[in-house]
């Protein structure tokens, strides 16, 4: 997506969605903050805010694979993104998601690719939560991870879908 106006609109949508989730939940989020907001084609079109505990409560996948950016093998743990979308009550007619990171990086990912490749929303890398890898001002809690050791995955194409510091997903 183009920078500028599109990013401002996206941020405004995420902010409104987060405020709606907080208002609807009452005091439920007083103890734990929302780490990812899911908007778009959710159940009844209502935005869904998930805490780290919500994400950790989903069935987790674990794999070790080569990280094309760090150029080493890493182990990732987290639920399949399709399971995260199910928790949000997603519309199965959706064709893609747009993953947004707190540094304003965003990328579309086709639902067909999520089904075929099995992207996960990782909350842990090499046995540590993501928060352990950055100082508090710059940390995130979630990242998209892909098991590149599976056959038929073109690393040069899909490495751009490795998103760190995920804070929002739009179901489109």
């Amino acid at each position: 997506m183009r920078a500028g106006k599109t990013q401002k609109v996206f941020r405004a949508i995420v902010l409104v969605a987060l405020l709606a989730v907080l208002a609807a939940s009452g005091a439920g989020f007083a103890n734990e903050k929302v780490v990812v907001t899911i908007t778009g084609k959710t159940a009844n079109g209502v935005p869904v805010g998930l805490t780290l505990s919500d994400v950790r409560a989903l069935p987790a996948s674990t794999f070790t694979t080569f990280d094309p950016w760090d150029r080493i093998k890493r182990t990732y743990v987290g639920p399949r993104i399709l399971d995260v979308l199910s928790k949000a009550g997603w519309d199965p007619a959706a064709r893609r998601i747009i993953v947004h990171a707190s540094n304003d990086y965003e990328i579309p990912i086709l639902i067909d690719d999520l089904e075929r490749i099995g992207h996960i929303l990782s909350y842990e890398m090499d046995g540590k939560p993501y928060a352990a890898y950055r100082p508090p001002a710059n940390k995130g809690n979630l990242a998209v991870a892909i098991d590149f050791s599976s056959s038929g995955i073109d690393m040069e194409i899909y490495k751009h879908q490795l998103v760190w510091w995920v804070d929002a997903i739009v179901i489109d």
Side-chain angles (χ1 to χ4, degrees), residues 1-3 6-7 10-11 14 97-109 160 163 167-168 170:
M1 294 186 135
R2 290 179 38 159
T6 302
Q7 287 181 349
F10 186 85
R11 283 188 204 139
V14 170
I97 61 172
I98 300 167
V99 179
H100 183 269
S102 59
N103 66 357
D104 289 331
Y105 180 77
E106 58 187 23
I107 190 161
I109 301 174
H160 302 287
V163 183
D167 63 1
V170 177

Side-chain angles (χ1 to χ4, degrees), residues 49-108:
L50 300 178
T51 66
L52 192 53
S53 294
D54 293 331
V55 176
R56 286 179 168 273
L58 294 169
S61 297
T62 302
F63 56 80
T64 300
T65 190
F66 182 78
D67 183 314
W69 300 112
D70 292 340
R71 299 189 175 276
I72 60 172
K73 283 199 169 200
R74 296 218 180 257
T75 300
Y76 298 97
V77 179
R80 289 176 8 119
I81 291 178
L82 288 172
D83 292 337
V84 175
L85 299 180
S86 292
K87 174 114 177 127
W90 74 300
D91 179 351
R95 297 191 186 273
R96 70 179 186 162
I97 61 172
I98 300 167
V99 179
H100 183 269
S102 59
N103 66 357
D104 289 331
Y105 180 77
E106 58 187 23
I107 190 161

Side-chain angles (χ1 to χ4, degrees), residues 5 8 15 21 54-55 65-66 71 101 115 134 140 142 156:
K5 186 175 182 181
K8 288 178 184 177
L15 179 61
V21 168
D54 293 331
V55 176
T65 190
F66 182 78
R71 299 189 175 276
E115 292 170 344
R134 297 278 187 169
L142 302 169
E156 288 305 309

Side-chain angles (χ1 to χ4, degrees), residues 105-125:
Y105 180 77
E106 58 187 23
I107 190 161
I109 301 174
L110 297 175
I111 297 296
D112 288 346
D113 285 342
L114 294 175
E115 292 170 344
R116 184 174 59 83
I117 297 170
H119 300 59
I120 69 169
L121 190 59
S122 174
Y123 50 76
E124 189 175 289
M125 180 175 71

